[in-house]
Structure formats: structure tokens, C-alpha cells
Amino acid sequence: GAVVSQHPSRVICKSGTSVKIECRSLDFQATTMFWYRQFPKQSLMLMATSNEGSKATYEQGVEKDKFLINHASLTLSTLTVTSAHPEDSSFYICSAPDRGSALYEQYFGPGTRLTVT
Amino acid sequence: EDKVVQSPLSLVVHEGDTVTLNCSYEVTNFRSLLWYKQEKKAPTFLFMLTSSGIEKKSGRLSSILDKKELFSILNITATQTGDSAVYLCALMDSNYQLIWGAGTKLIIKP
């Protein structure tokens, strides 16, 4: 099946710094990618929809200037957490639907665990 | 407003038992309903359901969708400790966005 990778898998950063998380579709083209955030013992929360070649669409309550999304190619979307705070510590997961498949299945990256100290 | 409600929120059973997890939903533009299993990482795909009444089966897991009553169930027979996880139900809308339920935390005791 299709594969989505994320990098890094874990990152620890200091308050005030920025962190970039990459999401790649390895064997299919993804014009759309989704970014989720998951706090411990909670379900996934959609943060934004990343669209190749255009601006991302953010969900209500998600600060677009804090969570910068760039979808520069059909296989890569990046999420940059700017001026990170400890409350940004979370598990960030990306997913991409493979529209080339009959099932339009969404494939998830393995996630990035961000810890802000 | 689109929503997905899963029940129960948590469930503890013994190995060998059969469990049924429930997912009810309300959605404006339905594309499909999906079940995922999540352990200590990103969710892994179990089933995608698009049509009513057609059971999807994979080993000890099976699932079915009722589009008239707006619910789906996930059955696991002969449970094993490795089935312990959070099971997530999600709706995919016409824009490929997923609307997630809160999940059912399943614990299988040996």
C-alpha cells in the first residue's frame, strides 16, 4: 500500500524556537495533505488542510501564523511550529488521500512527537 | 454539524471474548466511514465502508455499515491481548476530510 513518511519522528526543542516537520508521500502524489494534532488520551484533531500550490486551510482556533504550512510539491508538505511553547508539545500526524486509488484511502504518517522544554 | 460518536468510551474484557464497538454519525456529505486501530503511534487502517449491509472482514475483525440508521459496528472475535488499543471511527466527507470519533479504548486482559 501507499506510504507516507514523517520526519523527524521525535524532536525536543526549547521555548521560543521553531521546529519544522516534514510529511512526504513516497509512492503517490498528494495534492492534499492533512495535519492533525493529538494530545495524550485524546482523539486526533484536524489542524489544517494543506493544498499543493495554494494556501493551507486552517481549522477554527488554529493560528496560521504559528503553524506555518507549506505544500511545495505533490509529495511534500511541511508544518513549522514557530515560537514554540510547552503547550505546543503534542503528537503531530499528517495524512494524505491517494486519489489515484479507487478507495481514496487516507494514509497516515507515523507521527512526530514534539516536546517543547 | 457533522459529528461521530463512539461507544463505549472504554471496554475491558478477557482474552477470547467477543467485542462489539459502536460508531454513530451525522454528516452532510458522506463519502465513507473508516475504522482505525491506534496504539502508541499513528492510526493504522482497518476498514473502509461505503455501502450499507456489506460486511467487511479481515481475520477476526469485521465491520458493517447501516446508512439508514447512520451507524457502524466493529466486531472482534476471540480477542487477544494484542488487540488492546484505541479503536477510532472516522467519517470521510466529500472533501476527503476525516471527522473523528473520540475512540473506544479496548483493554484485553489475559
Side-chain angles (χ1 to χ4, degrees):
Chain A
V3 177
V4 172
S5 71
Q6 270 185 252
H7 178 78
S9 58
R10 279 179 187 276
V11 58
I12 301 172
C13 70
K14 293 188 176 180
S15 280
T17 60
S18 294
V19 174
K20 181 187 281 189
I21 302 169
E22 292 185 350
C23 177
R24 292 182 187 272
S25 57
L26 297 184
D27 52 1
F28 67 100
Q29 293 184 335
T31 55
T32 302
M33 290 185 175
F34 300 102
W35 286 96
Y36 295 89
R37 190 156 119 171
Q38 186 176 33
F39 291 108
K41 300 184 181 180
Q42 294 187 29
S43 190
L44 289 84
M45 183 188 78
L46 179 65
M47 297 175 67
T49 302
S50 170
N51 302 299
E52 188 268 336
S54 64
K55 289 184 179 180
T57 305
Y58 290 82
E59 296 300 299
Q60 196 171 7
V62 178
E63 298 174 59
K64 60 181 69 177
D65 294 330
K66 179 167 183 62
F67 298 99
L68 300 178
I69 290 173
N70 186 304
H71 196 147
S73 76
L74 288 171
T75 58
L76 174 64
S77 175
T78 61
L79 168 69
T80 302
V81 182
T82 63
S83 188
H85 285 204
E87 55 263 34
D88 297 326
S89 298
S90 188
F91 192 46
Y92 292 87
I93 304 171
C94 71
S95 73
D98 180 2
R99 301 192 192 195
S101 80
L103 295 179
Y104 302 115
E105 186 181 330
Q106 283 222 27
Y107 296 96
F108 285 86
T112 296
R113 190 164 297 285
L114 170 63
T115 303
V116 184
T117 60
Chain B
E1 183 185 338
D2 297 344
K3 66 178 181 181
V4 177
V5 178
Q6 289 187 248
S7 64
L9 291 180
S10 65
L11 185 58
V12 181
V13 300
H14 286 98
E15 255 189 323
D17 289 351
T18 293
V19 297
T20 298
L21 310 183
N22 303 291
C23 176
S24 63
Y25 64 91
E26 294 176 25
V27 67
T28 305
N29 295 304
F30 178 91
R31 179 180 288 276
S32 58
L33 185 144
L34 302 100
W35 284 96
Y36 290 87
K37 178 182 180 182
Q38 186 176 27
E39 297 166 276
K40 293 180 181 177
K41 50 188 177 180
T44 53
F45 174 78
L46 295 176
F47 298 110
M48 174 183 277
L49 303 159
T50 54
S51 302
S52 272
I54 300 174
E55 185 183 52
K56 293 271 182 107
K57 199 169 170 62
S58 176
R60 297 177 293 104
L61 277 66
S62 63
S63 184
I64 197 160
L65 173 67
D66 186 327
K67 289 170 78 171
K68 183 180 175 186
E69 300 296 330
L70 307 182
F71 77 91
S72 174
I73 60 172
L74 174 69
N75 275 323
I76 309 175
T77 59
T79 51
Q80 302 170 359
T81 54
D83 296 328
S84 295
V86 174
Y87 289 83
L88 295 163
C89 171
L91 279 181
M92 184 182 289
D93 67 14
S94 54
N95 295 317
Y96 304 98
Q97 284 194 0
L98 294 178
I99 302 132
W100 294 92
T104 294
K105 183 174 183 178
L106 177 64
I107 297 172
I108 311 296
K109 289 189 169 182

